[in-house]
Amino acid sequence: MSNTLTKIAPLRRRTVRAITGVSGVQVIVPIMVALLVILAIVGPLIAPFDAVYRSNILDSLQAPSAAHWLGTDGQGRDVFWRIIAGAQSSLLSSVLIVTGFSVLGILVATIATLGGKRADEIVMRIVDAALAFPPIIFALGVAAALGPSLSSAVIAMILTGWPVTARLLRGVMKETMSQPFIENARVLGVSRTRLMLHHVLPNSLDVLVVKWAGDIGNTILILGGLSFVGVGAQPPSAEWGAMVTGAKNVIATAPWAALAPGFAIALTALAFGLLGDILQVRFNPALRRR
């Protein structure tokens, strides 16, 4: 395992061990994540279309009851079923974003590692320039330029997420390239491309496995934030951030319409964040030291 993950502050190590060491957390968290993924896949299939999308002003802003477990929003739509249906937009969009910027980051890191010293310097200066922009500000600018929509928010976040992945993976690849088994492969005449695809890259991706889980949680929060400020998903979408946006004007009289999707965002981000910590402890021996 690369030294990149082992150089973690003692406080961080104690915090991660404390959270993931709690009895049952390592079982409950993966189950929560699995249920969320299943919900994202089947949610739109089981949610009644009328309850999710059809307005009924006569039922607007009804408090939680047996008929509407989480109440209704300003258009009379059932908040519970909208959360169920919106899981796909929120969670699968986040997975798509993480996959997209991870692929870009892997490509950039591979070019920097294979291209020699000069190519590495040029690529990393580009990465440094990209990192100089605050990600949320850059994402807001890109999404606003493309026009407010969920697809614009996805593209914006892919374009802002790759530099961190590229810098992290490039450092791990450089360390992997210095390992004895890589030197042995070079002596045997293995080409640089084959060396990268069959030896360096597979032995460097473990750092990203840990990062992906945490990235999905963070992405859900940012995606909801972009929708909240009006550059993400638009009404009548059941995306959770858009639901919070639609309820912000009635939060004083009908708090359930905003709190319920907000809680769904927070719970999902927490579940994936804890999953990332659990994977980090499992893959990183330094975090298991007492």
Side-chain angles (χ1 to χ4, degrees), residues 1-282:
M1 179 68 185
S2 164
N3 290 331
T4 302
L5 281 181
T6 60
K7 297 177 181 178
I8 299 175
L11 179 59
R12 169 64 174 165
R13 290 200 298 266
R14 290 195 297 270
T15 302
V16 172
R17 284 201 305 265
I19 293 174
T20 59
V22 175
S23 178
V25 169
Q26 296 190 23
V27 176
I28 294 173
V29 169
I31 292 175
M32 286 176 59
V33 170
L35 291 175
L36 287 168
V37 172
I38 293 172
L39 182 63
I41 295 172
V42 305
L45 301 177
I46 62 176
F49 180 86
D50 289 351
V52 175
Y53 295 108
R54 184 160 296 172
S55 298
N56 185 357
I57 301 301
L58 296 178
D59 289 336
S60 64
L61 302 180
Q62 288 193 10
S65 63
H68 304 285
W69 293 353
L70 296 178
T72 61
D73 62 10
Q75 297 295 320
R77 298 169 299 201
D78 191 284
V79 173
F80 172 78
W81 284 116
R82 282 178 63 77
I83 289 176
I84 297 297
Q88 185 173 88
S89 297
S90 297
L91 185 54
L92 295 190
S93 293
S94 299
V95 171
L96 178 61
I97 290 167
V98 172
T99 301
F101 70 60
S102 295
V103 170
L104 286 178
I106 290 170
L107 288 175
V108 172
T110 301
I111 293 171
T113 305
L114 281 180
K117 184 176 180 180
R118 185 167 181 79
D120 182 35
E121 290 179 353
I122 294 173
V123 170
M124 295 317 295
R125 295 298 76 77
I126 295 173
V127 171
D128 289 340
L131 288 172
F133 292 95
I136 187 64
I137 302 300
F138 187 68
L140 280 170
V142 173
L146 294 174
S149 68
L150 182 58
S151 58
S152 296
V154 169
I155 294 171
M157 293 188 65
I158 289 175
L159 294 178
T160 57
W162 68 267
V164 176
T165 299
R167 174 169 285 282
L168 175 63
L169 188 59
R170 176 257 186 189
V172 176
M173 284 182 170
K174 289 289 187 181
E175 293 174 2
T176 304
M177 289 286 284
S178 65
Q179 297 300 313
F181 74 93
I182 298 296
E183 294 297 329
N184 293 338
R186 282 174 173 167
V187 171
L188 294 174
V190 177
S191 67
R192 289 176 64 85
T193 302
R194 183 177 178 83
L195 194 67
M196 176 60 68
L197 295 178
H198 293 273
H199 299 282
V200 177
L201 192 57
N203 285 282
S204 302
L205 289 180
D206 53 353
V207 68
L208 290 187
V209 172
V210 175
K211 184 175 180 292
W212 283 331
D215 281 345
I216 290 174
N218 292 333
T219 300
I220 288 173
L221 289 174
I222 298 174
L223 191 63
L226 291 177
S227 296
F228 183 76
V229 298
V231 297
Q234 301 296 302
S237 172
E239 194 269 333
W240 294 340
M243 290 179 63
V244 176
T245 303
K248 64 183 180 182
N249 293 327
V250 296
I251 193 168
T253 56
W256 56 84
L259 292 179
F263 179 76
I265 293 173
L267 180 64
T268 305
L270 176 63
F272 278 95
L274 288 176
L275 179 64
D277 284 342
I278 290 172
L279 292 175
Q280 190 162 292
V281 170
R282 182 173 296 275

